[in-house]
Amino acid sequence: MAVVCPECDSPIDLDDDVDQGETVQCEECGAELEIVGTDPIELAAIDEAGYDDEELAPPTGEDDD
């Protein structure tokens, strides 16, 4: 099965039996991607600090007070 890299729009071939939480790497741009959904397959880019997408970012623990 092929999905599209969210970073460079290149196709990525995946096995049909992937699990949520697995990571893959785009061969074209080298982005590290995590499978965040399996029906349909959704990928999220991961940077060194965690998710690259603010909606999926882990909490920082900082309060605005």
Side-chain angles (χ1 to χ4, degrees):
M1 147 182 335
V3 295
V4 176
C5 174
E7 296 294 302
C8 70
D9 294 327
S10 295
I12 300 173
D13 289 322
L14 298 176
D15 293 334
D16 290 334
D17 61 345
V18 294
D19 293 320
Q20 189 167 340
E22 286 185 43
T23 58
V24 295
Q25 185 171 21
C26 176
E27 292 181 14
E28 187 68 29
C29 70
E32 287 289 325
L33 307 166
E34 181 174 350
I35 299 170
V36 295
T38 57
D39 189 24
I41 293 181
E42 296 179 50
L43 300 174
I46 304 171
D47 63 12
E48 292 179 17
Y51 289 105
D52 199 23
D53 186 348
E54 288 182 20
E55 289 181 21
L56 300 175
T60 60
E62 295 177 15
D63 291 331
D64 292 337
D65 296 341

